[in-house]
Amino acid sequence: MKVISVCAALGLTVLVSCGKQDKVSMATGIFESTETTVSAEQSGRLVRLDVTEGQRLTLGQEVGLVDTVPLSLKMAQVGATRQVYGAQRPDVETQVADIEQQLAKARMELRRYSELVADGAAPGKALDDARSQVTVLQKQLAARRSALNTQVGTLASQQRATDTERAWLSDQIAKCHIKAPQGGEVLEKYAEQGEVIAAGKPLFKMADTRTMYLRAYVTSAQLSGLRVGQRVRVSTDYGDGRGKRYEGTITWISAKSEFTPKTILTDDERADLVYAVKIRVANDGLIKIGMYGNVVFDK
């Protein structure tokens, strides 16, 4: 979001005497608001865009939709792929059951030949052959388990990849739902239902007009008496001496001077250096963007 001025602010320094000889400092400026341009995050056909200029929106309100059919079909395809990987996953214990049975039988034979050889009822070669058979089957079991575990790990990785892709697709589908990033009023609409749009295309502009900012310019003499957070008196200028008064708060004072804008009201101060000041004002609905306003800084 960024703050955009409708036009350059005006500045005027005036010293006036009140009944008690107190001095006040005044400046004139332009009201502005925090504006946000809402752009499309996805490309595709704009199925709907339910906004009209002047409409008030709430934070998170869904106002439009970009076609989600292509992404939904891709999501279904990824889901089917994940199921295929799951079906290919082997049951390790079932796959090694036959070798484990052979190994258990070979170990029984090894114990039996050990007893026979000890009793002298069988030659030593038979015992060596039994030991060799157990060793061979142990290696076969380890090799098969290793191969099956590798296969299981590969399929699990492929499933995780599909899960990541599904999460990405879910995020893309969510971005097809156009929502208001803040509460405020729709200022301009740039697209219509049925258009084929590209990601990044501006759809509408909105502003939180409940809070307005008067941007004015003050001189060095005025600057010395101002501070952020200071309460000031603000009034709108409808022309012909008509307006309304408000309370305002200084929210920002420029740290850098600049030349007086060309729209300054007094000819003899055009060349002076001034400082920009922003004053926050709660809007009752009567302050409009671009309206002139006055601010009084009590001395």
Side-chain angles (χ1 to χ4, degrees), residues 12-16 24-27 222 269:
L12 171 62
T13 304
V14 178
L15 293 180
V16 297
V24 295
S25 178
M26 296 180 60
Q222 290 174 294
E269 292 181 358

Side-chain angles (χ1 to χ4, degrees), residues 7-266:
C7 63
L10 309 180
L12 171 62
T13 304
V14 178
L15 293 180
V16 297
S17 294
C18 300
K20 297 181 180 180
Q21 299 300 318
D22 292 334
K23 291 183 177 181
V24 295
S25 178
M26 296 180 60
T28 301
I30 295 290
F31 283 103
E32 59 185 24
S33 181
T34 301
E35 299 181 359
T36 302
T37 299
V38 180
S39 301
E41 295 186 80
Q42 289 294 323
S43 301
R45 186 172 61 86
L46 190 57
V47 177
R48 62 181 177 85
L49 184 60
D50 304 326
V51 296
T52 56
E53 294 179 356
Q55 178 183 356
R56 291 206 63 85
L57 304 178
T58 58
L59 173 64
Q61 179 180 345
E62 184 170 326
V63 295
L65 178 68
V66 177
D67 188 11
T68 61
V69 172
L71 291 171
S72 298
L73 292 175
K74 181 64 176 177
M75 175 81 82
Q77 180 182 5
V78 171
T81 300
R82 191 186 194 284
Q83 290 181 340
V84 170
Y85 290 145
Q88 293 176 348
R89 184 169 181 168
D91 185 338
V92 176
E93 296 306 318
T94 300
Q95 295 287 344
V96 300
D98 57 334
I99 297 181
E100 287 184 331
Q101 289 178 353
Q102 295 177 39
L103 181 58
K105 183 177 179 181
R107 285 170 174 165
M108 291 177 60
E109 288 294 311
L110 177 59
R111 288 194 295 270
R112 189 169 68 86
Y113 278 115
S114 295
E115 294 174 356
L116 291 174
V117 170
D119 294 338
K125 184 178 180 307
L127 181 60
D128 292 338
D129 291 342
R131 287 198 185 99
S132 177
Q133 182 66 16
V134 169
T135 301
V136 169
L137 290 172
Q138 286 177 333
K139 291 180 178 179
Q140 289 180 354
L141 179 61
R144 180 173 292 187
R145 279 189 179 277
S146 177
L148 290 172
N149 287 333
T150 298
Q151 185 178 354
V152 169
T154 299
L155 291 171
S157 297
Q158 291 172 327
Q159 283 187 313
R160 286 193 297 271
T162 59
D163 291 339
T164 301
E165 188 173 1
R166 289 179 67 182
W168 179 82
L169 288 169
S170 295
D171 178 67
Q172 299 304 297
I173 291 174
K175 289 179 179 177
C176 289
H177 296 264
I178 303 163
K179 298 181 180 180
Q182 65 178 35
E185 180 180 342
V186 177
L187 302 179
E188 297 180 68
K189 184 178 180 180
Y190 305 126
E192 296 293 340
Q193 178 177 322
E195 292 184 27
V196 176
I197 60 175
K201 174 182 172 58
L203 301 176
F204 61 93
K205 181 166 65 176
M206 64 183 301
D208 183 5
T209 54
R210 293 171 299 181
T211 301
M212 302 294 288
Y213 294 89
L214 179 68
R215 178 185 287 267
Y217 289 86
V218 299
T219 64
S220 299
Q222 290 174 294
L223 185 65
S224 61
L226 303 183
R227 68 183 187 281
V228 173
Q230 179 178 338
R231 304 287 291 179
V232 296
R233 290 177 287 160
V234 176
S235 61
T236 53
D237 185 357
Y238 300 142
D240 297 329
R242 295 180 297 114
K244 186 174 180 180
R245 294 182 178 180
Y246 301 86
E247 286 190 358
T249 304
I250 298 177
T251 60
W252 173 78
I253 301 174
S254 175
K256 182 179 180 181
S257 63
E258 55 189 284
F259 285 104
T260 305
K262 293 182 179 180
T263 48
I264 192 71
L265 295 181
T266 56

Side-chain angles (χ1 to χ4, degrees), residues 262-296:
K262 293 182 179 180
T263 48
I264 192 71
L265 295 181
T266 56
D267 294 336
D268 58 344
E269 292 181 358
R270 289 179 186 269
D272 291 345
L273 290 174
V274 293
Y275 296 83
V277 176
K278 289 177 63 175
I279 298 114
R280 182 177 63 238
V281 180
N283 189 9
D284 57 1
L286 299 179
I287 304 177
K288 304 300 181 182
I289 297 174
M291 180 180 290
Y292 287 90
N294 302 308
V295 56
V296 175

